[in-house]
Amino acid sequence: MYNNKVSIKINCYKGFNYEQTFSGVKKAGFKYVELSTSKGNSCNLLQDIPFNELVKMKLDLETRGLVPITIGGNSFLLDDDKSRVLNNIYLGKFFGCKYLDATVCDAHAETDKEYSDEEVIEKINYYVPYLEENDLDLVIELHGSFASGEKLENIIKGVNSNHVHINYDTGNALYWGKLEVEEMVEDFKKHVDLVSFMHIKDKLGTKESWNFPAIGSGYIPFEEIFKTLKQNNNDAMLTCEIEFTDKGVSDVNEVDKALVDSANYLRSLGFDLEK
């Protein structure tokens, strides 16, 4: 039995509506959800959404017995415009979230300017007082040119705040970090003490292909990864992220099934999705 809490990232339902998203999450048996502010993702929380709509969403989630644990997406820590990260911090506080998921830079941008670790640390330090004030932990996701524990180690240690940690995304370590599976596992083991959050994302196809199926149906060695967490008494939050292929899915039933399959796989390993 593991002590880690498990959630689902709602962008698994990209392209589907609010009701389909949260009905599917509930049916699969997940209690915790990662809300998304990424434009174009299902149920995104756009920054200009009226407050009364946010209240309705919060009350609806409570009625369904779903707990927002993370606010994620649309937050690039190196942006000169700090409003996106700050808005997400306050959204996280409003929904009672514990974590803010963000990336160092926008890996999808046409140009990816290079920054020194010192510049990155300075940018992140700006947000530390806001994180402390709102009791929110910033978890920096492996992404773009910062897609390994090795690339983030100096940054996390340089910030030196108990509110800033690594979000180890297993799929991104391969796709963006270009690591082989064995390299990813070793990188994770080496930096596990800096990890307080994980996007558990499975992988099929080559590491360069966009193919992230139901958890447990790919070749990511999750049992070894979870064993490493347990051996290190690491109760990191685990969030399932299923992005399918670049062709998308045929209908919502395909997403529902992927969530059920992922939930069943995690339960078979000893995770309690209701705790």
Side-chain angles (χ1 to χ4, degrees):
M1 185 66 68
Y2 292 92
N3 292 323
N4 308 76
K5 290 182 172 63
V6 182
S7 74
I8 190 76
K9 189 172 181 179
I10 66 168
N11 74 344
C12 300
Y13 282 90
K14 184 176 181 179
F16 297 100
N17 65 35
Y18 182 99
E19 181 62 32
Q20 290 170 311
T21 298
F22 290 114
S23 292
V25 170
K26 186 67 177 176
K27 288 176 184 176
F30 289 95
K31 175 181 178 180
Y32 299 98
V33 293
E34 177 176 327
L35 300 176
S36 176
T37 63
S38 295
K39 196 169 184 178
N41 279 349
S42 178
C43 304
N44 58 80
L45 303 174
L46 299 181
Q47 294 180 16
D48 58 353
I49 190 170
F51 181 68
N52 66 311
E53 293 298 321
L54 292 176
V55 172
K56 286 181 182 179
M57 179 180 287
K58 184 176 182 180
L59 292 175
D60 181 69
L61 290 171
E62 289 177 2
T63 300
R64 295 173 189 265
L66 297 175
V67 179
I69 194 73
T70 309
I71 196 85
N74 206 34
S75 297
F76 307 120
L77 297 167
L78 302 187
D79 274 1
D80 291 329
D81 178 5
K82 297 179 174 64
S83 65
R84 291 198 292 182
V85 176
L86 292 175
N87 282 345
N88 280 0
I89 288 175
Y90 289 116
L91 275 173
K93 176 69 172 181
F94 171 78
F95 278 100
C97 294
K98 168 66 176 172
Y99 304 98
L100 167 68
D101 172 44
T103 57
V104 172
C105 58
D106 184 359
H108 299 283
E110 292 184 7
T111 59
D112 189 5
K113 179 182 175 181
E114 291 189 7
Y115 292 84
S116 68
D117 285 354
E118 290 71 25
E119 289 175 297
V120 175
I121 290 167
E122 181 181 0
K123 293 274 191 180
I124 295 172
N125 271 330
Y126 172 84
Y127 298 108
V128 169
Y130 295 94
L131 297 168
E132 293 174 345
E133 176 188 346
N134 292 282
D135 194 24
L136 210 63
D137 286 355
L138 170 64
V139 288
I140 302 177
E141 181 179 346
L142 268 63
H143 213 294
S145 56
F146 295 86
S148 70
E150 190 73 30
K151 292 290 183 66
L152 288 175
E153 178 180 4
N154 290 338
I155 293 168
I156 301 299
K157 291 180 177 179
V159 173
N160 193 28
S161 167
N162 60 4
H163 284 278
V164 181
H165 307 276
I166 289 177
N167 167 8
Y168 205 100
D169 187 310
T170 52
N172 284 1
L174 275 60
Y175 184 84
W176 293 104
K178 310 303 181 187
L179 300 181
E180 301 296 336
V181 174
E182 296 79 8
E183 293 174 321
M184 180 270 289
V185 172
E186 289 308 309
D187 179 66
F188 175 71
K189 289 180 177 179
K190 182 178 178 182
H191 300 97
V192 66
D193 289 342
L194 302 178
V195 175
S196 70
F197 190 100
M198 295 187 71
H199 277 161
I200 50 174
K201 186 189 297 183
D202 218 335
K203 190 78 179 73
L204 284 174
T206 65
K207 61 185 178 182
E208 296 85 5
S209 63
W210 189 273
N211 194 339
F212 306 102
I215 313 305
S217 63
Y219 53 72
I220 298 293
F222 285 116
E223 292 189 50
E224 185 173 359
I225 288 168
F226 298 150
K227 181 180 178 181
T228 298
L229 288 174
K230 193 164 189 176
Q231 289 174 337
N232 288 272
N233 297 312
N234 187 323
D235 294 338
M237 184 75 208
L238 309 179
T239 295
C240 303
E241 184 174 16
I242 309 164
E243 295 187 296
F244 304 97
T245 70
D246 51 7
K247 295 179 181 179
V249 297
S250 56
D251 57 35
V252 72
N253 294 323
E254 189 174 342
V255 187
D256 288 344
K257 184 178 185 304
L259 262 68
V260 169
D261 290 347
S262 299
N264 288 340
Y265 170 72
L266 291 167
R267 289 190 189 99
S268 74
L269 297 182
F271 288 96
D272 181 357
L273 306 188
E274 296 293 332
K275 62 182 278 184

